[in-house]
Amino acid sequence: MDESVAQLTRTAPEGGLTTGAVARLLGVAPTTLRTWDRRYGLGPAGREGGRHRRWTPADIAVLVRMCELTSAGLPPGEAARAARSPETAGGPAPSTPGPRPSTAPGALPIGRARTEARGLGRAAVRLDGRTVDALLADALDRHGLVGAWDEVIMPTLHAVGRKWETSGERYVEVEHLLSWHVSSALRGAATGPEPRPGAGVSLLACAPDETHTLPLEALTAALVQQGLPLRMFGAALPVDALEEAVRRTGPTAVVLWSQSRTTASRALVLRMAGMEWGVRGARTRPALLLAGPGWAGPQPAGTLRPTSLGEALATLAALAVR
């Protein structure tokens, strides 16, 4: 059994885990577990009338094996028979005919993170978009946008990135699928009150040649939820276009995201630090926030460097109402 699954089941409350908790752990939809129970008999071994079903460590071990075998390409019915068989417990996935892969995709290196991150990673590796959507919606509802981003979404995204870097060109499809669904979830979460009257505008953009937008999308959604006005320009905004946007919008703050050193430079910061807006004689310089790991190293004078979504949100909120 996966060590993270084993650890959770060892500390499970007396009587076992609920179907929802097991679904989040494994990265499957609760309806999938009910279908497996109804069709293949993979439900909890012990049941009490009139009570919610509870899953014991032994029950969960069977489900883990079922997930491994179906990810390896085995038809669900055959996988269920093998998962229930003591002879196959803990063994490798059996070979299958045709073009199906003989082994399941490797587990993601999630590390220390919420259980939901492990389930989200498993669903992404299986390319199960519907379950990814359900798990993202559940995380946002349970932990709020900042909590879900810090404790569920970012650990999973980082794990996918590390897996891709250490596996050649494999798992690129996992990263793309997960990123698309995260982006969709963040856009869905970008609802809130009308912008506060008189609040300063925040301008968000990626550095030129930078294409990683998800952190800025998360910040966009968080600002919208707070009722703070913003302009989001997305990936790879040229410097000339950024300067024009500053002149046209008159922002209180500019957030520039850089994912890697290759998209960040001191010359770029110096040029941006000189940006102004307003009529001659009453020019204003917006606060410049350098966000993302690309800006690692000595901090240029006159800039701010938030290190988390929560810190960036708090900084922009304070600047907007000064």
Side-chain angles (χ1 to χ4, degrees):
M1 184 188 301
D2 182 289
E3 179 56 32
S4 64
V5 177
Q7 175 62 30
L8 184 62
T9 55
R10 282 196 297 267
T11 59
E14 184 177 356
L17 296 172
T18 65
T19 297
V22 174
R24 288 189 295 273
L25 173 66
L26 299 179
V28 300
T31 53
T32 298
L33 297 184
R34 297 186 186 103
T35 297
W36 287 352
D37 182 13
R38 185 176 66 255
R39 292 183 181 176
Y40 312 119
L42 298 186
R47 304 171 186 244
E48 295 183 35
R51 298 187 60 185
H52 291 297
R53 300 183 302 172
R54 297 283 175 167
W55 301 78
T56 67
D59 298 327
I60 296 172
V62 174
L63 294 179
V64 170
R65 189 64 180 148
M66 179 69 171
C67 290
E68 292 172 348
L69 294 170
T70 54
S71 292
L74 223 60
E78 186 177 344
R81 288 192 295 274
R84 291 195 303 267
S85 172
E87 288 78 11
T88 64
S95 59
T96 57
R100 296 189 185 106
S102 61
T103 58
L108 295 178
I110 296 291
R112 294 182 178 274
R114 285 189 177 274
T115 300
E116 293 98 321
R118 303 184 187 281
L120 182 61
R122 292 187 180 94
V125 167
R126 292 198 312 275
L127 304 182
D128 184 352
R130 291 189 64 181
T131 299
V132 168
D133 282 339
L135 294 173
L136 288 170
D138 182 72
L140 288 165
D141 182 61
R142 284 171 172 265
H143 308 300
L145 195 149
V146 174
W149 177 260
D150 288 342
E151 301 176 31
V152 179
I153 298 173
M154 277 300 292
T156 309
L157 289 169
H158 285 159
V160 171
R162 288 193 297 270
K163 193 70 174 180
W164 174 39
E165 290 174 356
T166 58
S167 304
E169 292 301 313
R170 298 181 63 201
Y171 302 100
V172 174
E173 72 283 2
V174 176
E175 182 180 39
H176 280 242
L177 179 135
L178 179 60
S179 296
W180 190 89
H181 284 274
V182 168
S183 180
S184 297
L186 292 173
R187 288 175 183 269
T191 60
E194 289 294 322
R196 301 179 192 177
V201 175
S202 296
L203 190 155
L204 282 57
C206 288
D209 302 319
E210 179 57 68
T211 60
H212 292 79
T213 64
L214 287 181
L216 285 188
E217 293 179 47
L219 182 55
T220 295
L223 289 168
V224 170
Q225 290 183 352
Q226 294 282 330
L228 296 172
L230 69 117
R231 303 292 185 274
M232 166 61 159
F233 293 91
L237 185 66
V239 178
D240 290 343
L242 178 59
E243 291 177 332
E244 181 63 20
V246 169
R247 286 191 289 269
R248 293 180 61 184
T249 62
T252 299
V254 173
V255 182
L256 189 68
W257 176 269
S258 175
Q259 182 73 19
S260 68
R261 294 288 187 90
T262 60
T263 60
S265 72
R266 185 171 181 82
L268 174 63
V269 173
L270 292 175
R271 180 172 174 178
M272 292 173 54
M275 291 186 299
E276 295 180 332
W277 62 271
V279 298
R280 184 172 299 179
R283 298 283 189 180
T284 299
R285 289 187 177 180
L288 178 58
L289 283 69
L290 303 179
W295 303 110
Q299 182 172 337
T303 64
L304 301 172
R305 185 178 296 165
T307 58
S308 68
L309 174 60
E311 183 181 346
L313 178 60
T315 299
L316 293 176
L319 290 169
V321 298
R322 280 198 314 195

